[in-house]
Amino acid sequence: MSCLKTTALLFLCLFLLCSCSGDREKEIEQEPVDTMTTEVGRKAAQQIRTPLDKARAVSGLAEQRVQEIEEKTNQ
């Protein structure tokens, strides 16, 4: 009876160890995908920000020009 319990416990431990080691492989496989996704997201955000920043800069210049014209016409 003791031999049966020992064998069952041994198989249980072996099963648990094997199932835990499989999770590590999944995490390693997912890391490059997450890294690539993050990098693509950063590039997309930068591509969106660049035109917006340029538009804001042009908008500021346009407002300055309007103020200059108004000052000259008021004089």
Side-chain angles (χ1 to χ4, degrees), residues 14-67:
L14 183 62
F15 175 75
L16 291 175
L17 287 174
C18 290
S19 65
C20 291
S21 67
D23 292 340
R24 290 182 189 166
E25 292 174 5
K26 290 179 184 176
E27 290 176 12
I28 292 171
E29 290 175 4
Q30 290 177 357
E31 276 186 36
V33 172
D34 291 337
T35 304
M36 291 172 54
T37 302
T38 303
E39 187 63 31
V40 168
R42 285 183 187 151
K43 286 181 181 179
Q46 185 62 33
Q47 289 178 347
I48 292 170
R49 281 188 208 132
T50 302
L52 290 175
D53 291 341
K54 288 180 181 179
R56 288 182 187 125
V58 170
S59 174
L61 290 174
E63 289 177 11
Q64 287 177 352
R65 303 274 186 215
V66 169
Q67 288 177 357

